[in-house]
Amino acid sequence: MRAVEAVNNALRRVPSWAGYLAGLIPLAWLVWRIFTNDLGADPVKEVEHTLGKIALWFLVGGLCITPLRRFAGLNLLRFRRAAGLLAFLYVALHLVAWVVLDMGMLWAQAAADLIKRPYLFFGILAFAMLIPLAVTSNNASVRRLGRNWRRLHWLVYPAVLLGVVHYLWQMKVVSTEGWIWLAAVISLLAVRFWPKSRPGTR
Ligand code: HEM
């Protein structure tokens, strides 16, 4: 048996709730760091940044699932919904961290910050695009929306792109890591949208 089939067989025995549970480990780790005062000199920034980074991991990780199956035969489809919902959870917490911890729920200050740091709009737009996806991620919505569900879920692609642009823009100088994230997202989008060759055509 090929190694990938052995992995697929083993994964079939993993319940999908285990994916959600595993996805909450980074949150538990962050909470632990908060309670043990292990957030460095600027705890608010650290919380904000950690949540943003985890959100990006889940968003991009979710996008990897289809190419992994197509090119490597690895079947993680059962965990795609968990990846999407966890990404949404972490973006939402990232937003809450900004509103509550950074802005102190002062709306005038939040508005001024939005004007001062326009990349925040990109983040908010990305978050807004993820809302309908999270709301319609249940089986009933998949059945009710039919083909439109797939169409709606295309929103994930601009959302990830906006998320990564937001991430790069907030850096004073874009780091190597930033460029790697951008390259990864562009490659994943290219793989997704590259026209598939039909049998009999080249
Ligand atoms: C899909 C949506 C989003 C993604 C993927 C995302 C991701 C990120 C990432 C990766 C970082 C930098 C982390 C680091 O440097 O380690 C960041 C920073 C930040 N994000 Fe987001 N974010 C999103 C949406 C939002 C939203 C809705 C807000 C709220 C307005 C927001 C506010 C911020 C702030 C305030 C920072 C810190 C900027 C700074 O330190 O100057 N983000 N985000």
Side-chain angles (χ1 to χ4, degrees):
M1 190 170 23
R2 281 168 56 215
V4 72
E5 283 163 18
V7 175
N8 285 342
N9 281 340
L11 283 172
R12 257 194 287 276
R13 270 173 253 131
V14 181
S16 50
W17 58 259
Y20 291 95
L21 207 60
L24 291 174
I25 293 172
L27 182 60
W29 176 241
L30 180 62
V31 172
W32 171 261
R33 289 178 62 207
I34 293 171
F35 282 105
T36 55
N37 247 328
D38 182 28
L39 292 170
D42 192 343
V44 170
K45 268 267 109 82
E46 183 61 21
V47 169
E48 224 168 52
H49 281 220
T50 305
L51 290 167
K53 198 50 102 34
I54 303 170
L56 203 56
W57 272 108
F58 279 107
L59 275 176
V60 176
L63 282 195
C64 289
I65 290 178
T66 302
L68 272 176
R69 196 176 68 144
R70 199 164 135 200
F71 299 111
L74 184 65
N75 191 346
L76 294 168
L77 285 178
R78 289 173 53 236
F79 302 102
R80 190 155 59 177
R81 186 183 297 180
L85 284 174
L86 285 160
F88 180 73
L89 169 75
Y90 283 107
V91 179
L93 290 174
H94 177 61
L95 171 66
V96 169
W98 174 69
V99 171
V100 178
L101 305 177
D102 209 353
M103 297 294 110
M105 298 223 280
L106 300 170
W107 303 111
Q109 189 171 321
D113 202 29
L114 280 177
I115 291 162
K116 197 174 93 194
R117 303 193 282 178
Y119 60 81
L120 294 178
F121 278 112
F122 281 65
I124 290 174
L125 200 57
F127 175 66
M129 288 180 174
L130 294 177
I131 295 173
L133 308 192
V135 171
T136 59
S137 65
N138 54 78
N139 290 338
S141 297
V142 178
R143 273 193 302 273
R144 192 161 37 83
L145 291 172
R147 288 165 67 96
N148 287 332
W149 187 89
R150 280 182 150 253
R151 287 201 195 109
L152 182 68
H153 278 249
W154 276 54
L155 275 177
V156 72
Y157 303 108
V160 176
L161 203 55
L162 286 170
V164 88
V165 170
H166 156 87
Y167 165 48
L168 295 195
W169 195 347
Q170 57 88 42
M171 292 181 199
K172 307 240 163 4
V173 179
V174 177
S175 64
T176 311
E177 189 191 345
W179 291 121
I180 293 173
W181 277 104
L182 182 65
V185 168
I186 291 175
S187 312
L188 285 164
L189 295 183
V191 167
R192 181 67 190 81
F193 292 106
W194 206 264
K196 289 184 193 121
S197 59
R198 298 208 174 85
T201 60
R202 299 210 110 224

